[in-house]
Amino acid sequence: MILSGRNRGKGLLLLIIIALFFSSPLFAVDQAKAAANAEFYTLWTLIPPVLAIALAFITKNVILSLFIGVFSGTFMLELQGNGIFSSLFFGFLNIIGKILGSLADPWNAGIILQCLTIGGLVALISKMGGAKAIAEALAKRAKSTVSAQLITWILGIFIFFDDYANSLIVGPIMRPVTDRLRISREKLAFIIDATAAPIAGIALVSTWIGYEVGLIKDAYNTIGVDANAYGIFVQTIPFRFYNILILAFIFFSAVMKKDFGSMLKAQVRAAKTGKILADHARPMISAESTGLEPDEKTVLNVWNAIIPILTLIFGAFAGFYYNGYVSIMGGDNAALKELLNSSPSSFVAIREAFGASDASVVIFQAALLACIVAMAMALVKRIMTIEETLNVWLQGVKSLVITGVILLLAWSLSGVIKELGTATYLVKVLQGNLPVAILPAVIFIMGAVISFATGTSYGTMGILMPLAIPLSFSLAGGDASQVIVSASAVLTGAIFGDHCSPISDTTILSSTGAACDHMHHTRTQITYAVVTAVVTVIFGYIPVGLGVPVWLVLPFGMAVIGAIIWFAGKNPENCEYVE
């Protein structure tokens, strides 16, 4: 996704990513044409996403489901002006074009490269004994399922600056610990996923900031208000109920030692049988990742992992600033240029630089630097020869090839959905005249439906923000507080739908980081996500829409989450496992 110097796509998997939603040159679609297709196909525009999602649940084969979803969309696009057999032929050819176009997009290529490179980094750290050393060190503190889940939760919050980095760093670190304590891979994947986009979306400095603030600023300009967009963003944080409540959900579930739904079954299986994965699971990591245990002669040292990981983290921070600085200084915004020249180290300057940076490039650069540092350490410490380090790195890269394939198909489907005008149709169907009190709740639901169907939170934000702010401003008679709540509902609803969608990029990457079966992760997580979303609507957006202060609403919502877990949940260790 390419947005004014800040490429940062969010809904990769299966439907439309913002990279394609707005100005990706290869998938730039005439908006008038998309609108015309939405008028022509109407309800049928939903076929590609619905088919892909349904097949993913039925077949449990994400790649096949995505391919069929893309093919159904390209077939529909070719139907206008062609017969059925011609449409099948040209539709197949169009799939190839979509995949090539996805790979040629700089943002998409950067995402795939960063995934592969981080896979190589994880392999190096594992072979050097760093991952095992950290696992043993954490094991001393993580002596129970409670402490292990809380440590994973804290690490997820600590990697707040980017959701992709969060998914791919926390999982490999905590996997040995949670495996030893018989915590299911499904639960690990849930904790990773629920601390990725939800925390990155509300962090004061992150790779999301530029896009979210930019949308707010543009939407306020349409109603003739010259607002401090970042200030508005900060004011939305207390109203980002889903983000906050899902974080609270993880905490309460861990502390209370309780789960429910399909997650409970997975946890009981792990606790009673030691099977961290189901018998027929297809974990999102290839056989290439095996055989990376350190040699018996290797001295285990946590610094073999800490130094490369810190290189990645601080390299990313420095890269975000530098990349954003170069982007701003090469742009036309004189005020930002003056800010960076006069106060380059101020919080505002750092925030603006982060917002203008290209995360796909920066994280790839930081990961590559971390790989070089890890290789150098392996050579200096004589843990491996240069040939062995390269072979191990390549082995790690190959372990994430499957993730790259899935992402390419997801991006391709995104382009198809964009051309069909699926989002345009959904917005037209869902919008209407509404009482201002329930407007935030309805906006949240609209965002959830669109992002679940399209797999992209960024795309959903881009669609709804220009509609929600003018609509709420009009219905509320210019009430600034109602506009802020509506803006938060857009940002939060988009994250919820993306969070529980099987075609979302972060859902896929969380499955990868946890080495979990993707559909098992999706199925177990969706119950928790939906429960949190229901609480968000009933005990969050509806009360604040009616004028109840947020300082009462938010704690009460947390209490409701805790109560649901307490009364609906069970301790897996006290349950009997049934096949």
Side-chain angles (χ1 to χ4, degrees), residues 103-187:
L103 187 58
D105 183 272
W107 165 261
N108 296 349
I111 294 299
I112 289 178
L113 287 173
Q114 72 174 243
C115 289
L116 297 179
T117 307
I118 290 177
L121 176 63
V122 171
L124 287 169
I125 290 173
S126 299
K127 194 64 176 178
M128 290 164 59
K132 186 174 182 180
I134 283 188
E136 291 184 356
L138 288 174
K140 297 177 181 178
R141 296 182 178 275
K143 297 181 179 180
S144 67
T145 57
V146 175
S147 56
Q149 291 180 63
L150 288 180
I151 289 173
T152 307
W153 179 69
I154 291 169
L155 282 176
I157 293 174
F158 178 72
I159 311 294
F160 63 86
F161 58 88
D162 185 78
D163 53 326
Y164 293 156
N166 183 310
S167 300
L168 295 173
I169 292 174
V170 177
I173 290 176
M174 292 304 302
R175 202 187 307 147
V177 179
T178 55
D179 286 356
R180 181 181 61 82
L181 292 171
R182 294 190 172 189
I183 297 172
S184 69
R185 291 279 178 84
E186 291 92 332
K187 189 63 180 288

Side-chain angles (χ1 to χ4, degrees), residues 308-356:
I309 291 173
L310 288 181
T311 301
L312 172 62
I313 294 174
F314 287 109
F317 268 99
F320 287 137
Y321 182 86
Y322 176 75
N323 188 276
Y325 178 91
V326 171
S327 177
I328 291 172
M329 298 307 289
D332 301 324
N333 194 320
L336 286 182
K337 290 181 181 180
E338 175 60 27
L339 171 66
L340 292 181
N341 285 326
S342 60
S343 305
S345 60
S346 66
F347 176 78
V348 177
I350 294 172
R351 182 195 75 209
E352 295 295 338
F354 269 54

Side-chain angles (χ1 to χ4, degrees), residues 50-62 64-66 68-69:
V50 170
L51 186 61
I53 292 171
L55 286 175
F57 279 105
I58 294 170
T59 67
K60 298 179 176 60
N61 189 313
V62 179
L64 176 63
S65 303
L66 282 170
I68 293 175

Side-chain angles (χ1 to χ4, degrees), residues 135 146 156 414 453 494 550 560 565:
V146 175
S414 297
V550 69
V560 171
I565 295 172

Side-chain angles (χ1 to χ4, degrees), residues 34 56 190 215 229 258 266 318 335 339 416 424 437 449 473 511 527 529 572 578:
F190 164 67
L215 287 177
K258 291 191 174 186
L339 171 66
V416 168
T424 303
V449 171
F473 184 80
S511 298
T527 303
V578 179

Side-chain angles (χ1 to χ4, degrees), residues 180-211:
R180 181 181 61 82
L181 292 171
R182 294 190 172 189
I183 297 172
S184 69
R185 291 279 178 84
E186 291 92 332
K187 189 63 180 288
L188 174 62
F190 164 67
I191 298 174
I192 294 169
D193 208 348
T195 54
I199 193 66
I202 60 176
L204 296 178
V205 176
S206 76
T207 54
W208 286 54
I209 285 294
Y211 183 59

